[in-house]
Amino acid sequence: MSISVCVITKDESTKLKRCMESLKGYGFEIVVVDTGSKDDTDKVIEQYADKIGKFQWCDDFSKARNYSISLASNDIILVLDSDEWIESCDIKAVEELINKNPKIVGRIERINDIVSTQTHEIGHERISRIFDRRYYEYKGRIHEQVSSKQLGELIYEDVTVVIGHSGYNGTDEDKRRKAGRNIKLLLLDLQEHGDDPYILYQLGKGYYMQKEYALAAKYFEQGFAFDLEPKLEYVQDMVETYGYTLLNLKRYKEMLFLKEIYHEFALSADYVFLTGLAYMYNEMYNKAISEFEKATNYKISKIEGCNSFKAFYNAGVICECLGKRDQAREYYKKCGNYEPAMKGLSRLK
C-alpha cells in the first residue's frame, strides 16, 4: 500500500518548505496544488512535489481539496495544510489498520502552537485526515469536512500520526483578518444550504476569534436548537467555546448550563476545567475546587494546563482568597514553574 499526501497552498513558501521537509523518508507520494500564489511558492513545489496542480480559486476549499486528491496516484490519502508538518508517523501501523478496514477515516493527532500578543499555549486535538478516496471526499465551502460518497456512516479510528500546526500563530489582527475571511464564506454556505449546526458552530467560532462575543453567542445558540450528538468533536468544542463566550460576556450565571449536561459532556479535562470556572465565577468555591482537582486526573487536555498547572493554580487562587494560605501554597507548588503560581508563592511567604 502507498499513501499520497495532498496539500493545497497559497503564498506560504516558507511554511510549505517546512511541511515538505517533514515528509522525507516516509515514502509518500507528494501532491501539491497552488491556488494562486504570487510569491516563490512554485519553486518550493517544483523542488518537492511528485504531482503538481494549479487551481483557479473560487471561494470553495472542498473543490480545491478534491481536485488535489484527484491528482494522486494512490487511493489512500493523507491531507495536510502548508502550515502543518509531520512530527511522527508509524506508516506500518497505519497501513495495517487501513488494510484491516479500508472504510475507516483516520484521526491524526494535531499539536497546535497557539501564539498571540498575550499568550503562548499548546493545544492538542484529533482531526480526520486519512481516508480512501473511493469512499470519501470533502464537502463544505470553508472548514471542509470528510464526507461519505455513499451517505454511509463514517467510521473513525485514531491513527499513529502526529503533526504540528502553526496556523494559529500571528498577531491578533492577523487572526481577525483570517476569521473575517472565513465568516464571509460561512455566510455564503448558510445562504446556499440553510441552517446547519456545523456551519453555525463555525460562524460562532469565527466571531469568537474576532472577539465579537455577542455574535458568537448568537450563532452558538442557534446551533444548539438542533438535536446534536454529544460524541461529535465539533459539538463538544461548540459547548466549550460557548462557555468561554459567556465568560467573556460576564454572563456567569448562564455558564451553569454546563452542570446540566455534565454527564454527557464531561469527557475531557477541558470541559471539567471549564465547569470549575463556571462554579468559581458563581462563587461556588468548594465545587470549583472539586472540578479543578478532577481535571488533573485526565492524561491530556486540548488546551495545555487544563489538566495540570492551570487547574491547580485556580484552586490555589480560591484558597488564597478565602484565607486558606497553607492550602493555597500546596496548590501553587503543584504548578511547577508556572509564573502566576510562583508569584502566588512569593505573596504567601
Side-chain angles (χ1 to χ4, degrees), residues 54-98:
K54 297 283 186 181
F55 183 82
Q56 184 67 43
W57 185 243
C58 59
D59 287 341
D60 194 316
F61 279 88
S62 282
K63 287 182 178 179
R65 293 272 187 222
N66 291 331
Y67 173 66
S68 71
I69 291 165
S70 74
L71 299 179
S73 302
N74 306 302
D75 288 324
I76 305 304
I77 306 297
L78 166 60
V79 171
L80 292 179
D81 286 330
S82 50
D83 59 4
E84 298 171 337
W85 61 92
I86 296 284
E87 290 277 0
S88 64
C89 178
D90 188 336
I91 289 290
K92 185 178 179 181
V94 172
E95 290 182 342
E96 287 177 356
L97 188 62
I98 294 175

Side-chain angles (χ1 to χ4, degrees), residues 26-292:
Y26 291 106
F28 296 127
E29 177 189 50
I30 300 175
V31 180
V32 183
V33 168
D34 189 357
T35 63
S37 296
K38 293 181 174 61
D39 63 1
D40 58 351
T41 291
D42 59 333
K43 295 178 182 178
V44 179
I45 295 174
E46 288 172 5
Q47 181 180 353
Y48 293 96
D50 300 301
K51 296 283 185 68
I52 299 172
K54 297 283 186 181
F55 183 82
Q56 184 67 43
W57 185 243
C58 59
D59 287 341
D60 194 316
F61 279 88
S62 282
K63 287 182 178 179
R65 293 272 187 222
N66 291 331
Y67 173 66
S68 71
I69 291 165
S70 74
L71 299 179
S73 302
N74 306 302
D75 288 324
I76 305 304
I77 306 297
L78 166 60
V79 171
L80 292 179
D81 286 330
S82 50
D83 59 4
E84 298 171 337
W85 61 92
I86 296 284
E87 290 277 0
S88 64
C89 178
D90 188 336
I91 289 290
K92 185 178 179 181
V94 172
E95 290 182 342
E96 287 177 356
L97 188 62
I98 294 175
N99 276 328
K100 189 184 300 182
N101 188 349
K103 291 189 177 182
I104 68 162
V105 176
R107 298 166 71 249
I108 68 177
E109 181 181 356
R110 184 166 74 173
I111 303 172
N112 297 311
D113 189 20
I114 307 167
V115 179
S116 71
T117 52
Q118 288 87 27
T119 61
H120 182 191
E121 297 181 332
I122 302 296
H124 297 257
E125 63 180 336
R126 285 278 179 179
I127 54 176
S128 301
R129 288 292 188 83
I130 296 181
F131 55 88
D132 189 321
R133 67 179 177 183
R134 292 173 295 178
Y135 308 114
Y136 299 103
E137 63 184 350
Y138 274 96
K139 289 185 180 178
R141 184 187 296 274
I142 181 72
H143 295 300
E144 61 281 9
Q145 294 287 291
V146 177
S147 179
S148 172
K149 289 183 175 181
Q150 302 167 341
L151 300 179
E153 183 178 354
L154 275 66
I155 305 167
Y156 298 101
E157 289 279 355
D158 290 350
V159 296
T160 50
V161 179
V162 180
I163 67 171
H165 177 223
S166 62
Y168 294 120
N169 290 354
T171 65
D172 288 345
E173 180 57 35
D174 290 335
K175 293 177 185 178
R176 281 193 289 269
R177 191 181 304 114
K178 185 176 180 179
R181 176 208 67 186
N182 293 350
I183 287 168
K184 173 189 171 184
L185 298 181
L186 287 163
L187 289 171
L188 282 172
D189 251 357
L190 204 63
Q191 183 179 343
E192 290 178 6
H193 305 295
D195 281 353
D196 177 280
Y198 182 76
I199 296 174
L200 292 168
Y201 152 69
Q202 290 291 0
L203 276 166
K205 286 281 284 190
Y207 283 116
Y208 183 85
M209 292 294 291
Q210 289 191 318
K211 299 184 179 180
E212 295 186 41
Y213 299 118
L215 281 170
K218 169 189 169 183
Y219 283 106
F220 287 141
E221 287 160 5
Q222 288 181 23
F224 292 140
F226 289 79
D227 184 16
L228 302 174
E229 171 52 64
K231 293 181 181 179
L232 293 176
E233 287 187 6
Y234 91 83
V235 175
Q236 294 169 26
D237 189 61
M238 179 159 64
V239 168
E240 291 168 17
T241 312
Y242 179 58
Y244 282 107
T245 300
L246 295 176
L247 180 62
N248 280 287
L249 290 170
K250 298 184 179 180
R251 289 161 54 180
Y252 303 135
K253 287 187 178 179
E254 292 176 60
M255 289 181 69
L256 293 174
F257 85 96
L258 294 163
K259 70 177 183 178
E260 305 298 331
I261 55 174
Y262 191 89
H263 67 288
E264 290 182 301
F265 284 92
L267 307 173
S268 68
D270 303 85
Y271 186 91
V272 175
F273 177 87
L274 178 60
T275 304
L277 290 179
Y279 285 132
M280 184 172 76
Y281 279 91
N282 281 281
E283 301 181 8
M284 303 165 73
Y285 298 125
N286 289 334
K287 288 186 175 182
I289 290 173
S290 177
E291 293 303 317
F292 291 136

Side-chain angles (χ1 to χ4, degrees), residues 281-308:
Y281 279 91
N282 281 281
E283 301 181 8
M284 303 165 73
Y285 298 125
N286 289 334
K287 288 186 175 182
I289 290 173
S290 177
E291 293 303 317
F292 291 136
E293 288 182 343
K294 285 179 190 175
T296 66
N297 294 324
Y298 291 79
K299 290 183 179 180
I300 61 172
S301 61
K302 289 180 287 185
I303 301 174
E304 188 179 29
C306 284
N307 65 335
S308 55

